[in-house]
Amino acid sequence: MIPEPGVVPSALGEPTVRVRGGWAAAVVLANVGVFAAWLGPIQVLLARQSEAVAPSNKEFVYGLVTGVGAAVSVFANPAFGAISDRTASRFGRRVPWVVAGAVGGAVGLFILSGAHLIALMLLGWCLMQLFGNALLAAATAVVPDRVPVSQRGVVGGWVAISQVLGALVGTALAAAFDNYALGYVACAAFLLLSVVPYLLRSHDTQLIERPTFVLSSFVKSFWISPRRYPDFGWAWLTRFLFNVGNALGTLYLFYYLQDKVGVADASTAVLILTAIYSVCVLTTAISFGRWSDRSGRRKIFVTGSGWVMAAAGVVLGFWPTWPGAILGAIVLGIGFGVYLAVDFALLTQVIPNARDRAKDLGVINIANSLPQVLAPAIAAPIVKHLGGYPVLYLLASAVTLLAGVLVTKIRSVA
């Protein structure tokens, strides 16, 4: 590919120099920060706040706030990714958006901490989604920017499991306070601190001259033709289905434990399950990421992870007890760890071009956020009127199995 005039070639070239552990750790920490700021509220704080604001209609309020916020993220991630690709700051393409994302996200969390109305909850959560996606788009793109293909299974595995580490940190921060307002403040503080190491050692590559901006081309660039790039299309679809299954299975975990399993302290129970799940994800993600790098194979690992994750849904659906929830967390963690590590490496190998890495990964991230819009609309009527949690978890298992099968359609990756 010939770089555009005025653009430093190394900014668009395929990386060949292996990255150091300190740089990778800083990238992972920034990702952990934004996921903690998202998943602490999603797992605990928004559920508790919805119950306080509308105790008789908590499921609807929680689904409304999370669904509208997810709708914002559907557009925010690829948009900020495309803007990041074209940012010619002297600090690099990604750093300005890491800073803006952390500060704007913290503002959204502070608004949530004082929100006693549904409208303010929506405002705060939409701001967190908007700016959090600006941060995530930039922090995700630095992997194909800087990490060679031969190292992406390991580094990509660590970056991918930052979602799980973020869930653990965010849930711990949320559960540490009886007052949900303090939980939001703690998540905001952690978000701001988490990006500091990356800002100090980013080594972000600068564009000497910003590529020409043409609005029509910019809009068209968001549509990536499945006919022209079929592997990208299949990768998007399989990630979408995996995340639909995951969203259906985890969205109402707080209420599942409180109302179906009957635990006394749902916040602490969510934290315990998240910790168990996180240990399993960490163990499998790193080991299978290395195995995938050495073997050069990706698809077989992703397919296998779909079967394992589906088994977790069966356990949760038919054994709604505390031991059953623990077993479900273990099985889900084992499968999701393999999926996160290997699928991220696979995705970086099917993006169409280096010029639009952040935007293309942003389009992929629609497959992460769009299910959060759809899941409340699907899950709420199932839980209330169409069979309850057993049907919900069996549906999650079926969708995950389908995703594992369809990944075999990708041809350019082994």
Side-chain angles (χ1 to χ4, degrees):
M1 182 182 67
I2 300 175
E4 298 182 37
V7 178
V8 176
S10 62
L12 303 180
E14 189 65 31
T16 56
V17 179
R18 293 173 68 87
V19 297
R20 296 180 179 272
W23 180 89
V27 174
V28 169
L29 182 59
N31 279 271
V32 169
V34 72
F35 279 113
W38 273 330
L39 296 174
I42 288 175
Q43 296 279 61
V44 176
L45 298 175
L46 286 171
R48 287 166 58 185
Q49 191 171 20
S50 297
E51 194 168 33
V53 172
S56 62
N57 209 15
K58 61 187 180 184
E59 293 92 352
F60 171 77
V61 173
Y62 177 67
L64 175 67
V65 174
T66 56
V68 172
V72 171
S73 71
V74 166
F75 301 100
N77 199 288
F80 277 112
I83 295 168
S84 171
D85 287 330
R86 291 159 176 78
T87 297
S89 162
R90 66 186 180 91
F91 300 105
R93 292 188 291 175
R94 315 304 181 194
V95 165
W97 299 107
V98 171
V99 174
V103 173
V107 170
L109 291 172
F110 281 124
I111 291 173
L112 280 165
S113 70
H116 300 290
L117 299 173
I118 296 173
L120 284 178
M121 290 178 63
L122 284 166
L123 174 62
W125 190 238
C126 286
L127 284 175
M128 178 59 229
Q129 287 283 19
L130 180 70
F131 287 100
N133 274 282
L135 194 165
L136 184 65
T140 302
V142 300
V143 176
D145 280 352
R146 293 287 311 280
V147 181
V149 170
S150 62
Q151 201 181 7
R152 283 184 197 167
V154 175
V155 176
W158 277 107
V159 171
I161 63 175
S162 62
Q163 177 177 343
V164 179
L165 294 173
L168 180 59
V169 173
T171 305
L173 291 172
F177 302 96
D178 292 332
N179 186 337
Y180 62 77
L182 294 177
Y184 283 122
V185 173
C187 288
F190 183 77
L191 172 62
L192 292 170
L193 292 173
S194 70
V195 302
V196 173
Y198 175 73
L199 298 178
L200 294 176
R201 61 190 311 163
S202 68
H203 306 297
D204 201 357
T205 307
Q206 179 184 359
L207 293 180
I208 300 302
E209 181 181 333
R210 183 183 292 107
T212 303
F213 179 84
V214 179
L215 181 59
S216 60
S217 299
F218 180 77
V219 173
K220 289 178 181 178
S221 72
F222 285 92
W223 171 251
I224 299 175
S225 171
R227 289 188 176 182
R228 187 176 179 187
Y229 303 106
D231 285 350
F232 188 89
W234 285 117
W236 190 96
L237 179 60
T238 56
R239 171 155 283 216
F240 171 77
L241 291 173
F242 267 113
N243 279 284
V244 167
N246 188 61
L248 290 174
T250 60
L251 180 66
Y252 287 129
L253 180 61
F254 183 92
Y255 297 140
Y256 169 77
L257 293 169
Q258 177 179 270
D259 300 335
K260 185 69 174 179
V261 177
V263 299
D265 185 351
S267 296
T268 302
V270 170
L271 175 58
I272 293 171
L273 292 183
T274 303
I276 294 170
Y277 166 83
S278 299
V279 170
C280 295
V281 169
L282 283 168
T283 302
T284 56
I286 301 307
S287 57
F288 279 84
R290 291 183 186 278
W291 188 2
S292 176
D293 279 345
R294 289 170 182 161
S295 67
R297 303 184 70 186
R298 310 292 191 195
K299 292 188 294 187
I300 189 171
F301 295 99
V302 178
T303 298
S305 70
W307 284 91
V308 176
M309 291 165 65
V314 174
V315 171
L316 292 172
F318 286 102
W319 196 17
T321 63
W322 181 238
I326 292 174
L327 178 60
I330 292 171
V331 176
L332 184 62
I334 291 170
F336 202 55
V338 178
Y339 166 74
L340 281 176
V342 181
D343 189 64
F344 185 80
L346 184 154
L347 288 170
T348 64
Q349 291 176 237
V350 298
I351 54 178
N353 63 73
R355 182 183 59 194
D356 294 318
R357 283 175 181 143
K359 184 270 295 178
D360 292 342
L361 286 172
V363 172
I364 284 286
N365 276 323
I366 292 176
N368 298 339
S369 52
L370 185 58
Q372 304 302 323
V373 181
L374 300 177
I378 298 170
I382 289 176
V383 170
K384 280 187 169 281
H385 308 294
L386 300 176
Y389 288 105
V391 173
L392 181 67
Y393 287 123
L394 285 179
L395 177 60
S397 294
V399 173
T400 304
L401 281 175
L402 177 61
V405 171
L406 291 179
V407 78
T408 60
K409 296 287 188 179
I410 298 172
R411 300 300 182 191
S412 63
V413 179

